Every structure is written in C-alpha cells, then in structure tokens.
Amino acid sequence: DAKTTQPPSMDCAEGRAANLPCNHSTISGNEYVYWYRQIHSQGPQYIIHGLKNNETNEMASLIITEDRKSSTLILPHATLRDTAVYYCIVRAPNSNSGYALNFGKGTSLLVTP
Amino acid sequence: GAGVSQSPSNKVTEKGKDVELRCDPISGHTALYWYRQSLGQGLEFLIYFQGNSAPDKSGLPSDRFSAERTGGSVSTLTIQRTQQEDSAVYLCASSLLRSQETQYFGPGTRLLVL
C-alpha cells in the first residue's frame, strides 16, 4: 500500500470548513483513498473513500487531485464533535499486503468555539 | 441498522488471569478483524476471519492469544495468562466482503491488566 503523509495537527473554528490534506505521491492506479477518524475513546469511524473522482456524502467531501498524488478531506461546517484524529489510508482491493488498515499517525483536528 | 458491538466495554483483570472479549459484527458481514490499540499508539492488526476460511493469525503477538468465530458471526478473542503489556483497547471491525475494504469498527473493549 502506498505511504501517506498528513500534518500532525490542525485547528479549525466551529462553523468553518475544515480542509485536511493528505499526500500519497506513490499511489498506484488501483488504490483507493480512504478516510477514517477516531474520536477520543471511541473506535475508528469510516468517513468516505474514492478512487479518482471527487466524492461527497453526508459527512464530508473528498477531493482527489487529477494526478491522484494528493487529496483533501473537507468537513464543510465543522462542529466541536468533529474534534478527532483523522486518518488517510491508501489501499487496493484484495491487497496482498495483508488485511490490516495502516492508520499511521493521522491529523489531530481541534475544532474550537 | 445495528453496528459492530463489543463486550465488555471495560475489563479489569489481574495478571495471570484469562480474559474473553466478544465481538458481534454487522449482520451479513463475512469478514471480521481484531486489532488492538495501546495508549497513544496506532492500530495493531491481530487476526482476520473471512467466511469459513482458515483465519489469518499472523498478527497475534504470542500463543497466549487466540480467537474463534462461531457460525460465521460472533467472534471471541481469548487472552490467556494476561500480562500488564496486554493492557490496551481491543477493537473489532467487520466488512461485507474481503474485496470491500470499508471496515466498520466497534467501540472497543478497554482491557486493564493489574
């Protein structure tokens, strides 16, 4: 699986959009970009995933650059409950590298009042 | 629908005792995963079940750890002769199919070995 790079921490004011970047310059053509988050003392929560097209669901939007070497997770109107560690994971279906999701360090997002 | 559930939510035990942790995956999900997360650390893969196939036990840290999945649904992770370094949050996840990589996680069991 391709390696990802995320900033260790970010702040965002409540009600504003939170834009979380992720670099994955070694991504392969069949690898998807997944985003999870982990709120303190809870299990990881799936947010969204995509291959090359931008994706949107009720939680967030995922913008993937045309060359697919980076992506941005957008929380359009951040709330205090969005404070969490956000993980960007790159993975191919039926990966031969094992079944575990490699969460890495992630970005710790702090949403402030 | 119901998500992944785990029990107990918290477990305190004495060193040397055995513990059993339970995971109920999302109904219909054929793939089930166990991870553990030590304080301030990332997720460590433990074991993976896919349908009726033999489980992938490559992540189990020692032979004190074992897991089973009965009837392709509920799974139990057993830790024998617990040690203090076993203290962690044990997370279970399930996915619909092996080829579908979206894993849905339970709330975890927080294990403290005294």
Side-chain angles (χ1 to χ4, degrees):
Chain A
D1 298 334
K3 180 181 176 180
T4 62
T5 303
Q6 299 177 253
S9 63
M10 293 182 62
D11 293 347
C12 178
E14 187 177 20
R16 307 296 292 268
N19 299 291
L20 294 96
C22 180
N23 287 322
H24 32 79
S25 59
T26 61
I27 192 170
S28 300
N30 66 338
E31 289 182 314
Y32 285 72
V33 180
Y34 285 80
W35 283 84
Y36 284 78
R37 72 180 182 183
Q38 189 169 23
I39 296 170
H40 182 62
S41 297
Q42 296 184 21
Q45 179 187 24
Y46 165 78
I47 301 174
I48 198 168
H49 75 284
L51 182 62
K52 55 182 180 181
N53 297 321
N54 297 337
E55 302 288 343
T56 296
N57 63 20
E58 65 278 6
M59 290 183 66
S61 294
L62 174 61
I63 308 298
I64 303 174
T65 58
E66 189 170 347
D67 63 8
R68 303 210 320 122
K69 293 184 177 182
S70 65
S71 60
T72 301
L73 179 74
I74 301 173
L75 308 178
H77 306 287
T79 71
L80 299 179
R81 289 190 299 272
D82 292 323
T83 293
V85 180
Y86 287 77
Y87 298 96
C88 170
I89 301 162
V90 172
R91 188 161 182 81
N94 293 315
S95 170
N96 292 325
S97 65
Y99 314 110
L101 293 176
N102 180 9
F103 278 70
K105 299 289 187 182
T107 295
S108 179
L109 174 68
L110 176 62
V111 181
T112 56
Chain B
V4 178
S5 62
Q6 293 185 245
S7 61
S9 54
N10 293 281
K11 177 71 176 179
V12 180
T13 190
E14 294 179 349
K15 177 182 175 181
K17 295 289 182 69
D18 298 351
V19 295
E20 284 189 353
L21 312 179
R22 176 187 169 106
C23 172
D24 284 84
I26 293 173
S27 178
H29 279 197
T30 63
L32 186 148
Y33 315 76
W34 282 98
Y35 296 83
R36 74 175 174 180
Q37 187 173 32
S38 301
L39 187 63
Q41 301 298 311
L43 270 68
E44 176 188 4
F45 166 74
L46 297 177
I47 189 169
Y48 160 74
F49 295 90
Q50 172 62 61
N52 296 321
S53 302
D56 178 353
K57 305 179 181 179
S58 60
L60 294 178
S62 77
D63 58 7
R64 296 186 295 105
F65 289 72
S66 63
E68 62 178 19
R69 189 178 184 194
T70 55
S73 180
V74 172
S75 177
T76 301
L77 177 69
T78 301
I79 309 173
Q80 296 178 310
R81 305 181 302 281
T82 53
Q83 303 294 314
Q84 290 182 331
E85 60 263 29
D86 299 335
S87 296
V89 177
Y90 288 81
L91 291 158
C92 176
S94 70
S95 63
L96 183 60
L97 296 168
R98 166 64 181 91
S99 59
Q100 184 169 353
E101 296 296 336
T102 302
Q103 297 181 19
Y104 298 90
F105 286 79
T109 293
R110 285 153 190 78
L111 174 66
L112 177 61
V113 182
L114 301 176

